[in-house]
Amino acid sequence: MVKINLLPWRETQQKEKQQRFLIALSVSLIFVFSTFVFVHLHIARQKAFQIKRNTMLQNEITQQDQIIVTIKNMDEKTRQITDKINYINTLRKTRLETLDVLNQLSVAIPHSVFLTKLTRTNQKIIIEGKAQSSGALSEFMHNMDNETLFQSTVLETMTTPDDARIENIKSNQNIPLFTFHTQQHNEN
């Protein structure tokens, strides 16, 4: 029998196997490293792109906030202008009301009634004065009730002081002092 020494062949085979393993390991490492680098670069690009988008969106939000502030300021100015226009319209509508009140008062006042104070607050009118007699005051209130500009005429006080006199009256009788309230008729 022939003896064949397989040891050198096995060693060569082992070396080839080891070389193939090292080549496969190197290729695998290169592949893993290149994949890792590719993934890292891809994520870095995505992150940079997202940062750029976030910056653009933040700039747009800032611009929109400035526009909103401008619109709010314009709304406030518009409201102020509208208030002024409404006030002017109210003045325009009511500019002749005072004349109408005085005109109708002059028609309603009998000759023996004298007004000492006339106060107007919005639609409420307070009239104070002196009358020669209670009948004259009664006539004045009746005339006020008949006027279309006045409503709800109410006598608040009526006094007769001992020392009160009207200068143009020749008799020395006591003069009733009065205060009454009336509401101006609202035409709205």
Side-chain angles (χ1 to χ4, degrees):
M1 220 162 127
V2 181
K3 285 188 165 185
I4 301 177
N5 188 2
L6 293 177
L7 193 57
W9 181 80
R10 284 185 188 163
E11 280 182 17
T12 348
Q13 191 87 12
Q14 186 79 15
K15 281 184 182 180
E16 285 179 18
K17 202 176 188 181
Q18 195 174 18
Q19 274 183 343
R20 279 187 267 146
F21 174 74
L22 288 177
I23 291 174
L25 182 65
S26 298
V27 169
S28 297
L29 285 177
I30 290 172
F31 177 75
V32 168
F33 181 74
S34 62
T35 304
F36 177 75
V37 168
F38 175 75
V39 168
H40 178 71
L41 290 176
H42 180 70
I43 290 173
R45 272 188 299 223
Q46 291 282 351
K47 188 175 177 182
F49 179 71
Q50 189 63 39
I51 289 172
K52 184 179 176 183
R53 284 177 54 188
N54 288 348
T55 305
M56 182 190 68
L57 288 174
Q58 193 62 39
N59 291 339
E60 192 66 30
I61 288 171
T62 304
Q63 288 176 352
Q64 295 301 320
D65 286 344
Q66 290 173 349
I67 290 172
I68 289 172
V69 168
T70 304
I71 289 173
K72 284 183 180 179
N73 289 340
M74 290 173 67
D75 285 345
E76 179 64 24
K77 287 179 183 178
T78 303
R79 188 193 58 77
Q80 289 174 352
I81 290 172
T82 303
D83 289 347
K84 287 179 182 180
I85 289 172
N86 290 339
Y87 181 71
I88 289 170
N89 285 336
T90 302
L91 286 177
R92 185 180 53 81
K93 287 178 184 177
T94 61
R95 66 181 171 207
L96 297 177
E97 282 183 6
T98 304
L99 291 175
D100 289 340
V101 168
L102 292 175
N103 190 25
Q104 289 200 13
L105 272 175
S106 68
V107 170
I109 298 175
H111 293 295
S112 56
V113 174
F114 302 93
L115 301 183
T116 57
K117 187 175 181 184
L118 179 68
T119 308
R120 178 178 172 192
T121 308
N122 293 331
Q123 298 296 318
K124 185 176 183 178
I125 299 171
I126 301 172
I127 300 171
E128 296 179 13
K130 300 176 184 180
Q132 185 177 1
S133 66
S134 297
L137 181 56
S138 177
E139 181 185 351
F140 178 46
M141 290 192 62
H142 178 71
N143 291 344
M144 289 292 289
D145 285 337
N146 289 337
E147 291 294 333
T148 58
L149 191 62
F150 303 111
Q151 63 185 14
S152 308
T153 303
V154 177
L155 181 64
E156 186 176 290
T157 61
M158 181 174 146
T159 57
T160 309
D162 291 335
D163 59 348
R165 304 234 189 299
I166 298 177
E167 297 174 8
N168 294 333
I169 298 178
K170 297 189 181 194
S171 65
N172 289 332
Q173 58 183 327
N174 290 337
I175 301 168
L177 299 176
F178 65 89
T179 303
F180 70 88
H181 295 244
T182 186
Q183 289 280 356
Q184 185 176 343
H185 182 65
N186 195 359
E187 296 177 7
N188 292 337

